[in-house]
Amino acid sequence: MKRTTPLGFALAALLLTLGAGTGAAQAAPPPEPAAASAGLIDALRDDLGLSPARAEERLRAEKAAARVEEEARRTAGGAYAGAWFDPASERLVVALTDRAEEAGVRALGADTRLVRHSAAALDRAKARLDGRAAPRGVAGWHVDPRTNSVVVTVVRAERDAPAVRAFVEEARAHGPVTVAETAAAPRTYAAGTVGGDPYYTGNVRCSIGFSVHGGFVTAGHCGRAGAAVRGWDGSAMGTFQGSSFPGDDYAYVSVHSGWWTVPVVLGWGVIPDRLVRGSAEAPVGASICRSGSTTKWHCGTVLAKNETVNYSQGAVHQMTKTSVCAEGGDSGGAFISGDQAQGVTSGGWGNCSSGGETWFQPVNEILGRYGLTLHTA
């Protein structure tokens, strides 16, 4: 960016760190990063009710669980039926369809649960639903490893509507289904032009997601390919090089000369700015935080993955559902777990006064789609 902000100071600190100790003889192994800053601990206390000690312990456990999940998937093979982080035990729970795989998975440091349906079978059942249009009273659907089923979420006030009931019955014909209710239908979080530290396209305000080499990633509903982007000061900032919505909700914006990218997520004074060190995916049940230009910094937990969200503009696939709140203008902003990028804010329901739920598009999918490299510290 062009101005000196906390982000700029973070960049300066990063450059000083990278420039120090160039001689091999005087170089020392970098210290293990702290589990969390004091500000992040405060945010987890406020949003999740965790004491400082519990927040530190949980963040370390979640980081370990993310590593175990990747190994468990490979170890279990076709018997893998999903996994989730259990806050009570602070361990990863891996669902399996074959008892013979339990010992190998437990040796990795995970707990196990025997279930009937594999992740592959549940994914196939969900994919059949993805091929049809859903009525407005259906908010979305996803595979839930904890219930070993496809969860279809319906808007409470419309649960008995004939079209909603017909959709649920069709879903049950394709596989095991659990019906859940939500207070309201999801919507995207774009907003009209107002003040703050966002980016603008047309009369829409959205939020920057993560820096990539050459620009940043954000939400697709914020602008179409070729649309010009203005920065916080109204000056020309860049151009949407690629955008997809609905179906997906992601975009890539290249930035002009005079704007730079840094591996930082703004803490907005609630916490210190966060350095981004990678994009390892957090498991279901893990804590997660969001940064956006309207409601700044808020935290919650990962509720579900690979959910199809039924917006009024059309369905969006492969979304991650969270308990984090958001409001208009937060679209495109960063979801981060510890120092690992997770995704860009898409939409949800509710607000940050009364609460709600928010979905994000996973960042690794966006990087792969456009061949981008995440800017990391």
Side-chain angles (χ1 to χ4, degrees), residues 231-260:
W232 63 271
D233 59 355
S235 66
M237 182 183 194
T239 305
F240 276 85
Q241 296 297 325
S243 178
S244 180
F245 179 79
D248 308 296
D249 194 6
Y250 51 61
Y252 163 51
V253 174
S254 63
V255 294
H256 299 324
S257 174
W259 297 84
W260 63 82

Side-chain angles (χ1 to χ4, degrees), residues 90-108:
E90 294 192 337
R91 289 168 61 87
L92 188 75
V93 182
V94 179
L96 300 167
T97 60
D98 188 346
R99 189 181 297 275
E101 302 296 340
E102 283 189 302
V105 171
R106 286 177 177 171
L108 298 173

Side-chain angles (χ1 to χ4, degrees), residues 277-328:
R277 300 185 185 275
S279 57
E281 190 175 322
V284 170
S287 63
I288 195 167
C289 299
R290 179 194 55 73
S291 178
S293 63
T294 299
T295 57
K296 313 308 181 190
W297 183 272
H298 286 277
C299 299
T301 57
V302 178
L303 300 177
K305 295 184 180 182
N306 192 23
E307 178 154 11
T308 297
V309 179
N310 191 35
Y311 292 130
S312 61
Q313 301 95 324
V316 176
H317 308 295
Q318 296 179 306
M319 301 271 270
T320 297
K321 180 180 183 179
T322 77
S323 64
V324 187
C325 68
E327 296 179 14

Side-chain angles (χ1 to χ4, degrees), residues 1-16 197 260-262 264 266 273 275:
M1 296 179 67
K2 298 167 96 174
R3 58 177 177 169
T4 301
T5 64
L7 184 151
F9 291 126
L11 174 61
L14 174 64
L15 293 175
L16 287 173
D197 191 15
W260 63 82
T261 63
V262 290
V264 172
L266 292 173
D273 296 346
L275 288 175

Side-chain angles (χ1 to χ4, degrees), residues 137-356:
V138 175
W141 52 96
H142 68 273
V143 170
D144 181 14
R146 291 164 294 192
T147 61
N148 195 228
S149 67
V150 176
V151 175
V152 177
T153 304
V154 301
V155 179
R156 188 171 298 118
E158 301 180 52
R159 62 185 178 184
D160 293 324
V164 172
R165 297 181 67 173
F167 185 91
V168 170
E169 288 307 310
E170 180 173 344
R172 286 182 169 139
H174 295 311
V177 166
T178 300
V179 177
E181 295 183 0
T182 186
R187 58 185 175 84
T188 57
Y189 282 130
T193 302
V194 296
D197 191 15
Y199 75 88
Y200 302 87
T201 177
N203 66 344
V204 171
R205 172 170 65 84
C206 282
S207 301
I208 293 172
F210 293 96
S211 288
V212 297
H213 292 285
F216 62 86
V217 294
T218 187
H221 70 262
C222 291
R224 296 181 179 274
V229 172
R230 306 187 309 280
W232 63 271
D233 59 355
S235 66
M237 182 183 194
T239 305
F240 276 85
Q241 296 297 325
S243 178
S244 180
F245 179 79
D248 308 296
D249 194 6
Y250 51 61
Y252 163 51
V253 174
S254 63
V255 294
H256 299 324
S257 174
W259 297 84
W260 63 82
T261 63
V262 290
V264 172
V265 172
L266 292 173
W268 298 103
V270 178
I271 69 164
D273 296 346
R274 303 292 291 171
L275 288 175
V276 178
R277 300 185 185 275
S279 57
E281 190 175 322
V284 170
S287 63
I288 195 167
C289 299
R290 179 194 55 73
S291 178
S293 63
T294 299
T295 57
K296 313 308 181 190
W297 183 272
H298 286 277
C299 299
T301 57
V302 178
L303 300 177
K305 295 184 180 182
N306 192 23
E307 178 154 11
T308 297
V309 179
N310 191 35
Y311 292 130
S312 61
Q313 301 95 324
V316 176
H317 308 295
Q318 296 179 306
M319 301 271 270
T320 297
K321 180 180 183 179
T322 77
S323 64
V324 187
C325 68
E327 296 179 14
D330 286 327
S331 280
F335 266 91
I336 188 167
S337 179
D339 56 11
Q340 299 295 303
Q342 299 297 307
V344 300
T345 304
S346 174
W349 63 269
N351 56 53
C352 289
S353 296
S354 59

Side-chain angles (χ1 to χ4, degrees), residues 31-74:
E32 179 73 17
S37 67
L40 179 55
I41 295 298
D42 289 343
L44 292 176
R45 178 199 62 206
D46 294 342
D47 289 335
L48 296 183
L50 299 177
S51 69
R54 290 284 296 115
E56 288 270 5
E57 291 171 3
R58 177 157 170 174
L59 287 169
R60 290 193 177 93
E62 288 174 351
K63 189 172 184 179
R67 292 193 296 266
V68 171
E69 182 179 18
E70 193 172 321
E71 290 292 328
R73 186 188 298 269
R74 287 195 291 265

